[in-house]
Amino acid sequence: MRVVIAEDNALLREGLVLLLTSAGHDVLAVAGSGPEIMPALLEHRPDIAVLDVRMPPAFRDEGLRAALEARQAIPGLPVLVLSQYVEESYAGELLGGGTNGIGYLLKDRVGRVDEFLDALERVAAGGTALDPEVVSELLTRRKDSPLDSLTPREREVLALMAEGHDNATIARTLVVTERAVHKHIGNVFLKLSLPPSDSGHRRVLAVLAYLAHTPKA
């Protein structure tokens, strides 16, 4: 897999390079500031970009801006965004531009190597990977919405769907049958007024889009 990394923390940046190269991936370029990101992406057109949200010079949302700009300039470019904290507005803005090939992880997740590499590969393949803490924030901050009508089990299924897991993984995680998962997903779509189809990744995108566009109280 061909990767471009944007991270201003030199230690984490080099750690990511070592981690990815050790896993057999090819790091094409690294960027240490916001203005360096787009030239690197346009030159190399990688299979995936791994971007920190806050980059020099202002340490605001340079990485996020670059991610959104890159998705416009290179349609379909998979982007995995890293953040120090759960910043719901950033997650919502990123998801609002379409959820194919999108990931939003907390930096702590990088230390869980298997989870990070799994998320990286899932996003590069056009899938979705949201950090469990981000999903939890998206769910718990929504008030007076159809989400309130979900049962605890349906909320668990929705959270795992939003993280990008398939039915088999959800069933193993919750120690239930895939048939039960399918039924819960149908109930979730019904309560959220979404198409009741359980057709693979499409259902995840629909739920993520719903979460991203649900207004806060």
Side-chain angles (χ1 to χ4, degrees):
M1 189 185 309
R2 301 162 62 254
V3 187
V4 166
I5 297 171
E7 168 59 55
D8 66 286
N9 183 295
L11 184 61
L12 179 56
R13 184 172 63 243
E14 293 307 310
L16 283 168
V17 171
L18 179 60
L19 172 60
L20 293 177
T21 54
S22 297
H25 303 304
D26 184 11
V27 177
L28 304 175
V30 294
S33 68
E36 298 175 31
I37 299 174
M38 279 305 297
L41 293 177
L42 291 173
E43 177 183 352
H44 297 284
R45 295 182 176 266
D47 298 319
I48 186 170
V50 179
L51 310 176
D52 184 10
V53 168
R54 299 187 178 191
M55 298 280 291
F59 292 98
R60 293 179 180 172
D61 59 358
E62 289 82 358
L64 177 70
R65 296 291 120 218
L68 296 174
E69 184 180 351
R71 298 271 289 183
Q72 291 290 324
I74 310 173
L77 173 68
V79 174
L80 178 58
V81 172
L82 302 178
S83 180
Q84 188 70 41
Y85 309 104
V86 177
E87 300 178 270
E88 185 185 355
S89 61
Y90 291 163
E93 190 165 359
L94 186 66
L95 293 169
T99 51
N100 286 26
I102 285 292
Y104 187 100
L105 298 181
L106 296 183
K107 289 186 177 181
D108 288 346
R109 199 68 52 186
V110 177
R112 304 173 189 181
V113 175
D114 290 341
E115 290 184 30
F116 174 72
L117 291 176
D118 177 69
L120 182 82
E121 292 172 5
R122 193 159 67 239
V123 171
T128 305
L130 282 187
D131 195 285
E133 290 190 36
V134 174
V135 173
S136 177
E137 289 289 337
L138 287 170
L139 288 171
T140 58
R141 292 184 186 182
R142 308 303 186 187
K143 302 301 182 183
D144 300 321
S145 80
L147 294 174
D148 297 333
S149 67
L150 301 182
T151 67
R153 177 63 83 188
E154 288 163 357
R155 292 174 72 88
E156 288 178 323
V157 169
L158 175 60
L160 290 168
M161 286 169 60
E163 290 171 29
H165 298 300
D166 59 22
N167 285 13
T169 302
I170 294 173
R172 287 195 301 270
T173 301
L174 299 180
V175 195
V176 298
T177 65
E178 287 190 49
R179 183 176 179 180
V181 171
H182 182 87
K183 181 179 179 181
H184 289 311
I185 290 172
N187 290 338
V188 167
F189 278 113
L190 182 64
K191 292 179 180 180
L192 299 186
S193 299
L194 294 169
S197 171
D198 180 17
S199 55
H201 186 60
R202 184 178 301 175
R203 81 202 198 290
V204 180
L205 301 182
V207 172
L208 288 174
Y210 178 88
L211 293 175
H213 291 96
T214 302
K216 294 183 288 184

